[in-house]
Each structure stands twice: as C-alpha cells, then as structure tokens.
Amino acid sequence: MFELAIKIVINGLTSSLVYILMALGFTLIFGIMRVVNFAHGELYMVAAFLVYVLAGSLGWNYYLAVLVAAVAVGLFGAVLERVLFRPFIGRELNGMIMALAISITLQATAFILFGTDEHSVERPVSGVIQLGMVMVPRDRLAVGLIALFILGVFYLFMRYTKVGLAMRAVVQDEEIASIHGVRPKIIHPLAFGLGAMLAGFAGALMAPIYTIYPYMGAQPMLKAFIVVILGGLGSIPGAVLGGVVLGLTESVFATLINTTVATMVSFGIVVVILLVKPTGLLGR
C-alpha cells in the first residue's frame, strides 16, 4: 500500500509539472493581454514537431532540440502578438476568435506537412530507477526534473528581473503600471512570447513520451484550461496550485480505477470549486 501511494505521488507530481508549464503560459498571456489563447495547444504541437524534425530527422541532440524548439515557438508567439493579436487588445471576444483561427490554421499546416500519421521521437533515456519498491521510468523522471528546473528559472525571472516585475505590474493594473513608466506595448509581445515558450517547452519535453500528430494539442490545452480555472484565471500562483491538484487527482483515480474516471473527476472538481468560489482557488 505504501509503495502504491509513493507511485501515485511520483506520477502525479510528474504530470503536474508539465500541466503547470502549459498553464503558466496560458494564464500569463491572459493576465497581461486578457486573451484566452485557444491556440496554446497548437504551440505545444508545433514544438513537438520541431523536436521530431531536429532530433528525429536531422539527428540533433535531443536536449538541444528541446531548447531550440521552445525558443523558436517563443519567438513565433511574439510575432503572433505583434501581427495578429495587437489590433484586438481590449476586445476579448475578437482575440478569442483570432486564437481559434490560428489554432485551426496551425493544425491544417501540420496536416499538410506531416499528414495524419503518428510520429515518434526516440527517448533520450530508457529503463527505470528503483526507489525502494517503486519503479520510476527514467524518461518521465527526466521530464519532471527538467520541467522543475524551467519552473524555477521562470520564478526567479518573474520575481527578480526588471522585465518580470514589469509583467507582474501589468497583470495587477496596466494603467497604474503605465504611469510608473512600464510600456505595455513592449511587455505584451514579451509576455506572449514567454507564455508561448513555456508551452513550447511542455510540447518539446513530451515529444518522446507520446506520439506526435497534428491534433495532439487538444488534450494539453484542455488540461491547461482546467488548471487555470481551478487556480483562478490570470493567477500565476493559482496555475501552480491548480496543476498540482489536477496532477495528483488524475494520478489517484487513473491508478486505482481508470483514466476515463480520472477525467470525469477532474471536471467534477472544477464544477464544485466554481460553485463554491467562482474565481477559482486563488483568483480575484
């Protein structure tokens, strides 16, 4: 029983870290630009395909491919903000429609380039690590540790750098931040690019774990949306808390029953929390 509990916690925390990467990018973009970015899952998909091309086809080192893919997706996100989203600042419905259009376009582009076949990337590490009586796959442990490192860098960036402090100020109150010298027109593409890069890291890290295909972004997008609703839309600490809650909940019910029940319970928790606290756990 103790070994089962340890396995559930390890699997739950590993999933939580990836959910948090996705959710942080999603909630950062919403918190600063008030855009519900429904193309967030497709940014995840684009990064996974980039890793497939760089590491799978061109033979790059996997970890270098992850870094390049995430940075490329981040730059792509900044361009999307400048070209497509900037005209709709302050118009949430228009921004949402634009995000849906980008999502469909990216899916169609991936379909044209790669077809509907599922692709895979060779896992950079294989085998298992034995922790007491618990066997932990090396690849999932590696993904969890890298994701934890990325989250630590993100925390330090947001807390101690001038750009990070400016982003937090814009999230709190853009008008007051502007009065104090923060320039939202510079912060917006930086925030969108950073949010896209976090989604890119999530997709790149999971490329060897799951198969890669044009519509693979739908599930992680759904998970990210659940996480930010749980934690509070626009709340960065809420995204972290929501990711942990969702990851552990899914791990418990998927291990003890099955994944379908785990998904149902996840939505049930969202409904209960929204009934009790409509803003989410840490939302305002």
Side-chain angles (χ1 to χ4, degrees):
M1 188 66 182
F2 176 74
E3 290 78 10
L4 180 62
I6 295 297
K7 180 180 179 180
I8 289 173
V9 170
I10 291 174
N11 289 338
L13 290 179
T14 303
S15 299
S16 296
L17 292 169
V18 178
Y19 294 161
I20 291 169
L21 278 180
M22 282 290 291
L24 280 177
F26 186 92
T27 202
L28 179 66
I29 292 170
F30 177 83
I32 290 180
M33 299 184 59
R34 289 298 184 266
V35 170
V36 180
N37 182 24
F38 284 117
H40 207 61
E42 278 55 57
L43 298 176
Y44 172 102
M45 177 267 294
V46 168
F49 267 115
L50 284 174
V51 171
Y52 167 71
V53 171
L54 295 175
S57 300
L58 300 180
W60 284 29
N61 175 272
Y62 166 74
Y63 299 103
L64 177 61
V66 167
L67 180 61
V68 171
V71 172
V73 169
L75 293 174
F76 178 59
V79 171
L80 287 178
E81 190 282 330
R82 290 294 298 269
V83 176
L84 298 178
F85 284 103
R86 181 161 295 189
F88 302 116
I89 291 178
R91 292 184 284 172
E92 295 182 20
L93 180 59
N94 299 73
M96 189 184 305
I97 294 172
M98 176 57 72
L100 288 171
I102 293 170
S103 172
I104 295 170
T105 302
L106 290 176
Q107 287 179 356
T109 302
F111 175 82
I112 293 171
L113 293 176
F114 299 98
T116 56
D117 294 337
E118 295 184 348
H119 306 277
S120 60
V121 175
E122 184 178 352
R123 302 191 178 199
V125 292
S126 58
V128 296
I129 294 177
Q130 187 166 352
L131 300 177
M133 299 295 292
V134 180
M135 310 295 285
V136 181
R138 289 177 181 271
D139 53 355
R140 285 189 172 272
L141 184 60
V143 166
L145 292 176
I146 295 172
L148 185 62
F149 173 76
I150 295 168
L151 291 173
V153 172
F154 175 79
Y155 170 79
L156 295 174
F157 173 81
M158 294 296 290
R159 186 172 181 83
Y160 295 109
T161 67
K162 289 184 179 180
V163 176
L165 292 173
M167 288 182 183
R168 291 167 59 195
V170 172
V171 169
Q172 293 293 324
D173 193 312
E174 184 171 316
E175 185 176 349
I176 297 299
S178 300
I179 293 174
H180 285 82
V182 176
R183 300 174 62 184
K185 288 187 177 181
I186 295 178
I187 295 300
H188 286 172
L190 290 176
F192 204 104
L194 179 58
M197 186 167 67
L198 290 173
F201 270 121
L205 288 173
M206 298 306 288
I209 307 296
Y210 300 123
T211 54
I212 304 169
Y213 57 99
Y215 308 107
M216 65 180 292
Q219 189 72 4
M221 175 62 224
L222 178 62
K223 302 293 186 183
F225 195 68
I226 293 175
V227 167
V228 296
I229 294 301
L230 278 174
L233 198 57
S235 170
I236 291 176
V240 176
L241 179 59
V244 173
V245 171
L246 178 64
L248 291 177
T249 300
E250 285 192 342
S251 181
V252 168
F253 286 92
T255 302
L256 299 180
I257 307 177
N258 58 52
T259 55
T260 302
V261 173
T263 302
M264 292 173 59
V265 172
S266 300
F267 279 104
I269 291 176
V270 171
V271 171
V272 171
I273 288 178
L274 290 181
L275 287 173
V276 176
K277 195 173 186 295
T279 58
L281 294 173
L282 299 180
R284 293 182 297 175

